[in-house]
Amino acid sequence: MLDEVSGNAHSFQVDLRGLVDLLSHHLYSSPRVYLRELLQNAVDAVTARQRMDPTASTAIRITLNEAGLRIDDPGIGLTEADVHRFLATIGRSSKRDDLEGARREFLGQFGIGLLACFTVAERIQVISRSAAVPDAPGIEWLAASDGTYSVRRLAPHERAVPGTTVCLTPRAGAERWFAPDVVTDLARDFGSLLPYEVTVDTSGRTIRTTDSPPVWDRSYDSAAARRVALIEYGERALGFTALDVVELDVELAGIRGAAYVLPRPANPADSGRHRVYLKGMLLNDATTGLLPDWAFFVRCVIDTDTLRPTASREGLYEDETLVAVREALGVRLRDWLTGLAAQEPQRLAAFLAVHSLGVKAMARHDAELFRIMLPYLTLETTDGQVTFAEVARKHPVVRITPTVEEFRQIAPIAAAHGVAVVNGGYTYDSELVALLPDVMPGVVVEELGSDVVTAALDPVDSANELAMAGFMAMARSTLDPLGCDVILRAFFPASVSALHLDSREARNERTRAEVAADADDLWSEILGALKSAEPRAQLVLNHRSPVVRRLATISDPALLVTAVEALYGQALLMTHRPLRSVDTALLNRAFDELLGWASQNVTESTEEDGKA
């Protein structure tokens, strides 16, 4: 306990150490927030004084010297009752729930956030005089990190004018937080948009750290000059030169600021980290949840007076207001895109060259935007990289492969035979292709089936079919145990000897059989009941391939079986799908037997050359 200084002094002891530990490890992410809390208390006090007396001074001063840090504000000040109310709050409990409730309750005056200073200070002294109660004496609150503090009424000469002074004495090991350059950077970082002048006085220098009004609230000679100023500000605030900038003036949501388009492709998994100010005070420069998930291609700098901060004032509270703001900002970005499409197609093209994925993500949930973007968004097809509008215009029936691997396998053959196919394996493309009938009536979308491919391939004339009959019979009997039929067609390119095709049903049945084989008796029985009529894959042999035609001349049955297995394995590898264990075994066997046959022929040829 502190000794009483006079008859009107009061001394107390509370578990400040527990509170400081809670602040350091659970409420605040870094000791750097101590300066933000000091500024926030000063700004709130000045704002309250302005409501009462608009002629009062608003300048906030931070002074650094050998003793530590002092911050002075000409704000509303505190009465003894205010101080005791605050002390009762911080002494009530060191539980997190209670502390967070107090943090919200006292956000506008003195603030539970003052305790954040104990993360860097050994002692906190607050000297204040109330402007709201002119006859009330000044008050001193003096607290130490060991849990002791005192409250003392001041003599008139000790505090003659309204306002508050807070003095911090550095804690051992925390001196770096009081270095002039650190304090100046923190004041500028947290408070650059504050409506009142904030200065840092150190070593005879006075540095102004505020830069208001914000760049988006200033007047410019032209729209081009305004855009340049916004982009230059974004570079300073966010650390990159934006590809483009979108002003965010959403009056109903209480939002002012700008969204900066990233100059490089963004990761859809990154929902974005934004610089958010609350009434000019920085909450966080990595705030999440501000924009819809699809808007991962922009980073925002905004000032708001409607959103609710968390207890630590380092994030936004997820409530109905934030949901409404998120939706309003999403609408603003959508309107910007549609405006570019209508008025500035060159800027839109530059944007889409980098961020088409983001627009595709957005268009999935907005049919009107998708309709507007049809002439600009592209996808991979057998006709090359073309727009959605061009695909739908040229091909009333749009066929799509579900994976990139299937497209890579079938694209050269489909293109050679005039079958239009879309690669649906890239993010969002299959979802958008499925929406085409909704925005372009008359268009039909189908998954590419094996029957479509085989129907497009050229049949083989009867004479050639007859010449290949023995080989085809051998091939069918070899692959029948694997659930694969063999057919003969002629197609381009001739370098592809065989094509493996199967339907979605065949793939599903194959997966079911594999799972059933590894399951216990109960699950194996259940999966067995789900077995459908055996859908069979197809191995399409290419009669235009010189390899296939030569195989028909081989008379050795064992070699023919090996050759068929090798063709089957090669076609499977071209699908880029995982191989079953039975397919892997077949490939290994065919490879070994072909090597053995080749080495035997080389040996026999060498022996005959030696005899000759």
Side-chain angles (χ1 to χ4, degrees), residues 4-19:
E4 292 190 2
V5 178
S6 65
N8 60 11
H10 306 275
S11 303
F12 308 90
Q13 183 162 9
V14 295
D15 184 16
L16 280 180
R17 289 181 178 176
L19 285 172

Side-chain angles (χ1 to χ4, degrees), residues 201-252:
D201 296 337
T202 176
S203 304
R205 292 189 307 147
T206 298
I207 303 170
R208 176 172 173 153
T209 59
T210 44
D211 185 25
S212 56
V215 63
W216 46 79
D217 286 336
R218 300 175 189 175
S219 299
Y220 298 91
D221 294 335
S222 65
R226 181 178 183 85
R227 185 170 182 271
V228 168
L230 284 167
I231 288 181
E232 288 177 348
Y233 174 77
E235 186 172 2
R236 295 193 302 272
L238 300 174
F240 63 85
T241 301
L243 181 67
D244 212 329
V245 60
V246 187
E247 289 203 56
L248 303 176
D249 184 0
V250 189
E251 185 176 353
L252 292 178

Side-chain angles (χ1 to χ4, degrees), residues 30-84:
S30 165
R32 71 193 298 266
V33 300
Y34 89 92
L35 194 69
R36 184 195 65 197
E37 297 297 336
L38 288 175
L39 283 173
Q40 185 65 64
N41 288 332
V43 168
D44 288 345
V46 170
T47 300
R49 178 82 179 272
Q50 285 291 297
R51 291 176 185 148
M52 185 182 71
D53 179 11
T55 65
S57 172
T58 60
I60 298 169
R61 300 284 182 266
I62 300 172
T63 304
L64 297 172
N65 52 41
E66 297 79 5
L69 179 148
R70 187 182 81 232
I71 181 169
D72 296 278
D73 73 72
I76 195 70
L78 298 166
T79 64
E80 184 175 3
D82 293 331
V83 172
H84 281 296

Side-chain angles (χ1 to χ4, degrees), residues 460-478 486-489 541 543 548-554 560 564:
V460 178
D461 61 55
S462 56
N464 286 323
E465 186 99 41
L466 184 61
M468 298 284 292
F471 174 70
M472 293 297 294
M474 174 68 73
R476 291 185 179 112
S477 63
T478 300
V486 184
I487 62 175
L488 185 65
R489 294 288 187 273
L541 299 180
H543 190 263
V548 172
R549 292 199 301 272
R550 280 199 299 269
L551 289 178
T553 65
I554 296 175
L560 273 177
V564 169

Side-chain angles (χ1 to χ4, degrees), residues 172-493:
E175 292 85 358
R176 69 187 185 91
W177 294 107
F178 294 80
D181 57 338
V182 172
V183 172
T184 302
D185 287 345
L186 290 178
R188 186 176 287 119
D189 195 35
F190 285 121
S192 62
L193 301 188
L194 289 174
Y196 312 125
E197 180 185 75
V198 177
T199 58
V200 177
D201 296 337
T202 176
S203 304
R205 292 189 307 147
T206 298
I207 303 170
R208 176 172 173 153
T209 59
T210 44
D211 185 25
S212 56
V215 63
W216 46 79
D217 286 336
R218 300 175 189 175
S219 299
Y220 298 91
D221 294 335
S222 65
R226 181 178 183 85
R227 185 170 182 271
V228 168
L230 284 167
I231 288 181
E232 288 177 348
Y233 174 77
E235 186 172 2
R236 295 193 302 272
L238 300 174
F240 63 85
T241 301
L243 181 67
D244 212 329
V245 60
V246 187
E247 289 203 56
L248 303 176
D249 184 0
V250 189
E251 185 176 353
L252 292 178
I255 297 289
R256 294 283 289 141
Y260 292 89
V261 179
L262 291 168
R264 59 192 179 280
N267 185 352
D270 182 3
S271 59
R273 298 180 179 275
H274 311 284
R275 193 172 182 87
V276 176
Y277 293 82
L278 179 61
K279 297 179 181 179
M281 180 69 72
L282 179 69
L283 287 182
N284 202 326
D285 59 4
T287 302
T288 59
L290 181 66
L291 295 180
D293 290 342
W294 52 257
F296 50 81
F297 52 87
V298 297
R299 298 292 179 267
C300 292
V301 182
I302 67 160
D303 188 22
T304 175
D305 58 9
T306 60
L307 297 178
R308 177 183 172 191
T310 59
S312 66
R313 293 180 57 80
E314 294 183 292
L316 296 174
Y317 192 81
E318 184 72 30
D319 57 11
E320 292 181 356
T321 302
L322 179 56
V323 172
V325 165
R326 188 183 297 137
E327 181 177 348
L329 293 179
V331 170
R332 178 67 190 92
L333 290 173
R334 173 193 177 278
D335 290 345
W336 170 74
L337 280 172
T338 56
L340 289 186
Q343 302 172 10
E344 301 184 74
Q346 289 184 336
R347 279 178 66 188
L348 178 63
F351 168 76
L352 290 177
V354 181
H355 294 297
S356 61
L357 191 63
V359 179
K360 287 180 178 181
M362 183 170 26
R364 293 178 305 154
H365 308 292
D366 192 329
E368 181 59 27
L369 177 65
F370 183 36
R371 184 180 290 105
I372 292 170
M373 290 295 148
L374 284 175
Y376 305 101
L377 294 176
T378 65
L379 71 171
E380 186 179 16
T381 75
T382 46
D383 295 331
Q385 197 77 16
V386 299
T387 67
F388 281 81
E390 188 176 351
V391 168
R393 186 172 60 252
K394 291 178 62 177
H395 307 288
V397 178
V398 179
R399 295 184 173 89
I400 184 170
T401 62
T403 66
V404 174
E405 290 76 16
E406 287 186 49
F407 180 82
R408 292 283 184 267
Q409 179 199 12
I410 203 66
I413 299 164
H417 291 268
V419 178
V421 181
V422 169
N423 184 353
Y426 290 118
T427 306
Y428 308 133
D429 281 358
S430 61
E431 297 170 72
L432 291 176
V433 170
L435 293 175
L436 278 175
D438 296 333
V439 297
M440 296 188 73
V443 173
V444 176
V445 175
E446 297 177 352
E447 182 174 332
L448 181 69
S450 57
D451 56 335
V452 174
V453 178
T454 54
L457 303 181
D458 296 333
V460 178
D461 61 55
S462 56
N464 286 323
E465 186 99 41
L466 184 61
M468 298 284 292
F471 174 70
M472 293 297 294
M474 174 68 73
R476 291 185 179 112
S477 63
T478 300
L479 298 182
D480 183 69
L482 298 175
C484 183
D485 292 331
V486 184
I487 62 175
L488 185 65
R489 294 288 187 273
F491 55 87
F492 295 103

